[in-house]
Amino acid sequence: MPEMLYDSRKIYYEVYGEGEPLIILNGIMMSHLSWKLFIPQLSKDKKVILFDFLDQGKSDKPYDYDYTHDLQVEVLKALIDHLNIKKTNIFGISYGGEIALQFAIKHKNYVNKLLLFNTTAYTTPWLKDIGRGWINAAKTYDPETFYNVSIPYIYSPKFYTENYEWMENRKNILKGVFTKDFLDAMVRLIQSSEDYDIRCKLNEVEVDTLIVGADYDFVTPLFEQEYIHNNIRDSKFMVIKNCGHASMYEKPNEFVSQINGFLSFEKKLTTL
Amino acid sequence: MPEMLYDSRKIYYEVYGEGEPLIILNGIMMSHLSWKLFIPQLSKDKKVILFDFLDQGKSDKPYDYDYTHDLQVEVLKALIDHLNIKKTNIFGISYGGEIALQFAIKHKNYVNKLLLFNTTAYTTPWLKDIGRGWINAAKTYDPETFYNVSIPYIYSPKFYTENYEWMENRKNILKGVFTKDFLDAMVRLIQSSEDYDIRCKLNEVEVDTLIVGADYDFVTPLFEQEYIHNNIRDSKFMVIKNCGHASMYEKPNEFVSQINGFLSFEKKLTTL
Amino acid sequence: MPEMLYDSRKIYYEVYGEGEPLIILNGIMMSHLSWKLFIPQLSKDKKVILFDFLDQGKSDKPYDYDYTHDLQVEVLKALIDHLNIKKTNIFGISYGGEIALQFAIKHKNYVNKLLLFNTTAYTTPWLKDIGRGWINAAKTYDPETFYNVSIPYIYSPKFYTENYEWMENRKNILKGVFTKDFLDAMVRLIQSSEDYDIRCKLNEVEVDTLIVGADYDFVTPLFEQEYIHNNIRDSKFMVIKNCGHASMYEKPNEFVSQINGFLSFEKKLTTL
Amino acid sequence: MPEMLYDSRKIYYEVYGEGEPLIILNGIMMSHLSWKLFIPQLSKDKKVILFDFLDQGKSDKPYDYDYTHDLQVEVLKALIDHLNIKKTNIFGISYGGEIALQFAIKHKNYVNKLLLFNTTAYTTPWLKDIGRGWINAAKTYDPETFYNVSIPYIYSPKFYTENYEWMENRKNILKGVFTKDFLDAMVRLIQSSEDYDIRCKLNEVEVDTLIVGADYDFVTPLFEQEYIHNNIRDSKFMVIKNCGHASMYEKPNEFVSQINGFLSFEKKLTTL
């Protein structure tokens, strides 16, 4: 059972394949299980490391623990040290992108390339209040309420509508996932993001960075990724069209293609 | 007290100014009170009629009543007859735009020009599930829960963030508005929209129609207005930039300007 | 024959209707004749003043004259004085919008409201080189060459394609318009714009300003109008969808509606 | 000297690297030389084949030859047979994408994956007239005229403006390239595209297809790629932001990343 302890809390991880390391940082509702589909394509020539943040998946959910993103950043560092990795590519989506950004600023020397999908540099008051709505819904402990209040906005309206049967099926699965334990952990994860604001430090990111957004992302709208792109020197920016916040589920091929493509070459090209 | 009875239910309305009639149809959470600011500019040379749908504002809230949009369409027709109006311009935003569209198809002869803002021709499964989340939140009868779950998505993220003090003030006002009676009525209004789908009849709209959308409308996204525009022959289409679903609050001048401009001339121009 | 002399050059103008004055400033290839269609709708309750810049329409075309925008700004001031107007609304499209902007900065007291359509605050190197291509084409004195090199880019690809018969007809008309005299004047008008850059003075515009752009404007792309909007405090911004640079020809109703709507009310509204 | 004969005309090509073949089809003004920068990144684990169409680069420029795209499609087939390739990935940009599309429909069995960048399924009347302007400019045999009339529109306004020194340098290089021979060939290449319209056959494309567009492409605007995407079943679609028609020069890293990423995995993923 691949796990390590951080401050006496269990942190769960999985490793696939051989080659340059790529650590995958989950979105807030995700766990290592969410990446099953992608492992074969991502790990062909890479060492892919999945990992559950504190309060996610099989990692500990310490109900009496008040924390911010800082803690997750240190958990990530501990994992990298535990795995004896000196330098790694880091991918993060949404919550995971936020941790990735902060890690790349605080622990520069550990990072090779940075891949930021559907994420933001700042929990705006708008996003904070949306989070509060999710917290309110979580505290009803009614899985259907939590689903209705959060999930539709995570998908693009067209995908959700055109694949409604799949969404209904997903709703049934998620209703089993949204237990009291899960929802309490979700509240803590949301709260850990409330004061997040790394905007003024983006210019400290010096590694090769890819930023990917989606035109129907209603949680971290495209202008958030544009902001990151404009403030990280020489970063690359791509947009997945007709796609919402959960880009890996809506456009799995475009998603994997961005990761593999960006990691496929060493030297930056310039025509200028 | 300007009111009329429809099927023994009280329907409240107000009339301002003189000239060609313009009936204003509220969005789902609105009432005649929401338009106070706009009356002077709109009624300068028009007869403006405000009006609360059943379950809105000062109109009756019949708790034992199951209904669909069809009822509100007939309430609107009764009001127009009651006011002895033969032909009128009709403006509707969101829920009001949905009623306006259906009215213009069913009661063609009553309509002069049609103005549709931030609205849709169809309650998609996505929108229905978002409505279900609002219903779940309403049924907690906690005003803060209902606010957090619904209001942030009604504004553009940038407006909400840049005017957070105003939003906080608004939250305090709305917490007083979101009483049990209001929330029960809201549930019925949302339910009345669940089966709405007028897509296949849009080509029956023959009056001069203006469609206005906003680029950060996360409730009825811009492609919904584009769809309406593409299916109503010769309709006009404008986009308010940097604006969310509640366009009249975010961009009051652009909002009024669209209405007054579209109503300012009789004959359609063509260069072709 | 309504004309005045400026520095011994004839300046042609026409006046329509009664009410608050609205001066219309032509785009670079236009003349007072271009507005014929719009006069009835615009002049219903306004005094509309059409006017040909030096080197346009019926105004003088002084072949030995080297000038910049500054001259046209002073020609405009002379016309306003000649007409005994103290304060006026000014509309400008493209070249006309550039003159309008500079006039509003230099002669603040003359301006009531400012309406800027499909225009820019700066002749970028990109736009300058496009202008050079037009000059190269003009100097062949072949009307077809000048048409092909300039006109298609002035329309949105879809409008041009869907109304190709109309465009072909227009080509035949324009081939008669593109005489040697016209093309020589065109060269001077283009050259008068080469050093235009008012970016750093936009914050001096204090009058109520409307900015209108079009999503398929390939001459002064939408980001140019966004730039103006972001730098003129409290300006209003609207986008005409599916429309190119020649917005008045592609979307005449939306076009007039923006002007009439913006001029319809005195006081700015604010919800905040 | 790697060349073959097609109908007694010399066709020039170059081969780099080992692995799955990827044939690169040039845009209309390009040649095999245009890809120098990209070879190391593209050919690391692939066999990359560069190739000049008839009337391009080192291939013959038969001045007495009237042809359409059909000829270039057959030239491509002859080259693939000549190289003894049974199935190949094909990349095409602009003109090259048009040939790629037609090849994939006519010679299905030869194609593995299809990569279409900044291209269109149809020479609209708008695009045809723009081509006519280029022809008019070419026939002046003045390199500067041809440059000014064609090149600025190939780049995004922002890139052109921000990298004006590089563009000026490029202008000097291109003035040497735009010889009489080159311009005569250019006229034939443009004419070969005038009747191109493959729209009704897009549904016959059955191979895995990537479509890439750019938001400031003013030659083949983004809606052209959206059209292709909507009509090729299960195709993938990505947008390079802040980028014009010449995407490989403006965004070389994003460009290569799309190619390598899309070619990196065999099996399509689906979450559904």
Side-chain angles (χ1 to χ4, degrees), chain A residues 85-106:
Chain A
I85 291 171
K86 299 302 165 218
K87 223 176 174 87
T88 181
N89 298 312
I90 300 187
F91 162 96
I93 186 164
S94 196
Y95 188 89
E98 299 171 21
I99 305 301
L101 254 175
Q102 291 166 96
F103 184 87
I105 287 164
K106 191 164 177 202

Short mmCIF file of all heavy atoms in Angstrom, two decimals, chain A residues 85-106:
data_model
loop_
_atom_site.label_atom_id
_atom_site.label_comp_id
_atom_site.label_asym_id
_atom_site.label_seq_id
_atom_site.Cartn_x
_atom_site.Cartn_y
_atom_site.Cartn_z
N ILE A 85 12.64 12.24 -5.45
CA ILE A 85 12.65 12.95 -6.74
C ILE A 85 13.31 14.31 -6.55
O ILE A 85 13.04 15.01 -5.57
CB ILE A 85 11.20 13.12 -7.26
CG1 ILE A 85 10.64 11.75 -7.67
CG2 ILE A 85 11.15 14.09 -8.45
CD1 ILE A 85 9.17 11.76 -8.00
N LYS A 86 14.20 14.65 -7.48
CA LYS A 86 14.91 15.94 -7.35
C LYS A 86 14.21 17.05 -8.12
O LYS A 86 14.21 18.19 -7.72
CB LYS A 86 16.36 15.79 -7.87
CG LYS A 86 17.18 14.77 -7.10
CD LYS A 86 17.27 15.12 -5.60
CE LYS A 86 17.78 13.93 -4.77
NZ LYS A 86 17.10 13.83 -3.48
N LYS A 87 13.66 16.67 -9.26
CA LYS A 87 13.02 17.66 -10.13
C LYS A 87 11.89 16.96 -10.87
O LYS A 87 12.06 15.87 -11.37
CB LYS A 87 14.05 18.19 -11.15
CG LYS A 87 14.00 19.68 -11.35
CD LYS A 87 15.08 20.17 -12.28
CE LYS A 87 14.89 21.63 -12.54
NZ LYS A 87 15.52 22.50 -11.54
N THR A 88 10.75 17.60 -10.96
CA THR A 88 9.60 16.91 -11.54
C THR A 88 8.72 17.86 -12.34
O THR A 88 8.67 19.06 -12.06
CB THR A 88 8.75 16.24 -10.43
OG1 THR A 88 7.65 15.55 -11.04
CG2 THR A 88 8.19 17.28 -9.45
N ASN A 89 8.04 17.32 -13.34
CA ASN A 89 6.96 18.05 -13.98
C ASN A 89 5.74 17.98 -13.07
O ASN A 89 5.48 16.94 -12.47
CB ASN A 89 6.64 17.43 -15.34
CG ASN A 89 7.82 17.50 -16.29
OD1 ASN A 89 8.44 18.56 -16.44
ND2 ASN A 89 8.15 16.38 -16.92
N ILE A 90 4.99 19.05 -13.00
CA ILE A 90 3.81 19.07 -12.14
C ILE A 90 2.60 19.54 -12.94
O ILE A 90 2.63 20.60 -13.56
CB ILE A 90 4.01 19.99 -10.91
CG1 ILE A 90 5.21 19.50 -10.09
CG2 ILE A 90 2.75 20.03 -10.06
CD1 ILE A 90 5.40 20.24 -8.78
N PHE A 91 1.57 18.71 -12.90
CA PHE A 91 0.29 19.06 -13.51
C PHE A 91 -0.73 19.29 -12.40
O PHE A 91 -0.80 18.50 -11.44
CB PHE A 91 -0.21 17.90 -14.39
CG PHE A 91 -1.67 17.98 -14.69
CD1 PHE A 91 -2.12 18.54 -15.88
CD2 PHE A 91 -2.62 17.50 -13.79
CE1 PHE A 91 -3.48 18.64 -16.15
CE2 PHE A 91 -3.99 17.58 -14.05
CZ PHE A 91 -4.42 18.16 -15.25
N GLY A 92 -1.52 20.35 -12.54
CA GLY A 92 -2.61 20.55 -11.58
C GLY A 92 -3.83 21.10 -12.28
O GLY A 92 -3.73 21.94 -13.18
N ILE A 93 -4.98 20.62 -11.88
CA ILE A 93 -6.24 21.15 -12.42
C ILE A 93 -7.03 21.76 -11.27
O ILE A 93 -7.11 21.18 -10.18
CB ILE A 93 -7.05 20.05 -13.16
CG1 ILE A 93 -8.29 20.67 -13.83
CG2 ILE A 93 -7.43 18.88 -12.26
CD1 ILE A 93 -8.93 19.78 -14.89
N SER A 94 -7.56 22.96 -11.51
CA SER A 94 -8.41 23.65 -10.53
C SER A 94 -7.69 23.76 -9.18
O SER A 94 -6.61 24.36 -9.13
CB SER A 94 -9.75 22.92 -10.42
OG SER A 94 -10.71 23.74 -9.78
N TYR A 95 -8.23 23.21 -8.11
CA TYR A 95 -7.56 23.21 -6.80
C TYR A 95 -6.12 22.73 -6.94
O TYR A 95 -5.20 23.33 -6.38
CB TYR A 95 -8.32 22.27 -5.87
CG TYR A 95 -7.89 22.28 -4.40
CD1 TYR A 95 -8.47 23.16 -3.50
CD2 TYR A 95 -6.94 21.37 -3.92
CE1 TYR A 95 -8.10 23.15 -2.15
CE2 TYR A 95 -6.57 21.37 -2.58
CZ TYR A 95 -7.16 22.26 -1.69
OH TYR A 95 -6.80 22.24 -0.37
N GLY A 96 -5.91 21.70 -7.70
CA GLY A 96 -4.55 21.16 -7.90
C GLY A 96 -3.65 22.16 -8.61
O GLY A 96 -2.44 22.23 -8.32
N GLY A 97 -4.21 22.94 -9.52
CA GLY A 97 -3.42 23.97 -10.19
C GLY A 97 -3.00 25.07 -9.23
O GLY A 97 -1.90 25.63 -9.33
N GLU A 98 -3.90 25.37 -8.29
CA GLU A 98 -3.58 26.39 -7.29
C GLU A 98 -2.40 25.95 -6.42
O GLU A 98 -1.49 26.71 -6.15
CB GLU A 98 -4.82 26.69 -6.43
CG GLU A 98 -5.99 27.22 -7.26
CD GLU A 98 -7.31 27.32 -6.50
OE1 GLU A 98 -7.28 27.37 -5.25
OE2 GLU A 98 -8.36 27.34 -7.15
N ILE A 99 -2.46 24.69 -5.99
CA ILE A 99 -1.34 24.16 -5.19
C ILE A 99 -0.07 24.11 -6.04
O ILE A 99 1.02 24.46 -5.57
CB ILE A 99 -1.68 22.74 -4.65
CG1 ILE A 99 -3.00 22.75 -3.87
CG2 ILE A 99 -0.53 22.20 -3.79
CD1 ILE A 99 -3.05 23.68 -2.69
N ALA A 100 -0.20 23.70 -7.29
CA ALA A 100 0.97 23.62 -8.18
C ALA A 100 1.64 24.98 -8.32
O ALA A 100 2.88 25.09 -8.24
CB ALA A 100 0.54 23.08 -9.56
N LEU A 101 0.85 26.01 -8.53
CA LEU A 101 1.38 27.36 -8.68
C LEU A 101 2.16 27.78 -7.43
O LEU A 101 3.28 28.30 -7.52
CB LEU A 101 0.23 28.35 -8.89
CG LEU A 101 0.04 28.92 -10.28
CD1 LEU A 101 -1.20 29.78 -10.32
CD2 LEU A 101 1.26 29.71 -10.73
N GLN A 102 1.56 27.56 -6.28
CA GLN A 102 2.21 27.97 -5.04
C GLN A 102 3.47 27.14 -4.78
O GLN A 102 4.48 27.68 -4.30
CB GLN A 102 1.22 27.84 -3.87
CG GLN A 102 0.11 28.87 -3.97
CD GLN A 102 -1.06 28.57 -3.05
OE1 GLN A 102 -1.17 29.08 -1.95
NE2 GLN A 102 -1.95 27.71 -3.51
N PHE A 103 3.40 25.87 -5.11
CA PHE A 103 4.58 25.02 -4.96
C PHE A 103 5.71 25.51 -5.86
O PHE A 103 6.87 25.60 -5.44
CB PHE A 103 4.23 23.56 -5.30
CG PHE A 103 5.36 22.62 -5.05
CD1 PHE A 103 5.56 22.06 -3.80
CD2 PHE A 103 6.25 22.30 -6.07
CE1 PHE A 103 6.62 21.19 -3.57
CE2 PHE A 103 7.32 21.44 -5.85
CZ PHE A 103 7.50 20.89 -4.59
N ALA A 104 5.39 25.86 -7.09
CA ALA A 104 6.41 26.28 -8.06
C ALA A 104 7.06 27.59 -7.64
O ALA A 104 8.20 27.88 -8.04
CB ALA A 104 5.81 26.41 -9.45
N ILE A 105 6.36 28.38 -6.84
CA ILE A 105 6.93 29.64 -6.37
C ILE A 105 7.77 29.42 -5.11
O ILE A 105 8.85 29.95 -4.98
CB ILE A 105 5.80 30.67 -6.11
CG1 ILE A 105 5.25 31.14 -7.47
CG2 ILE A 105 6.29 31.84 -5.28
CD1 ILE A 105 3.91 31.83 -7.40
N LYS A 106 7.26 28.56 -4.23
CA LYS A 106 7.95 28.35 -2.96
C LYS A 106 9.12 27.38 -3.09
O LYS A 106 10.13 27.54 -2.40
CB LYS A 106 6.94 27.82 -1.93
CG LYS A 106 7.50 27.80 -0.51
CD LYS A 106 6.41 27.67 0.53
CE LYS A 106 7.01 27.58 1.94
NZ LYS A 106 6.09 26.94 2.88
#
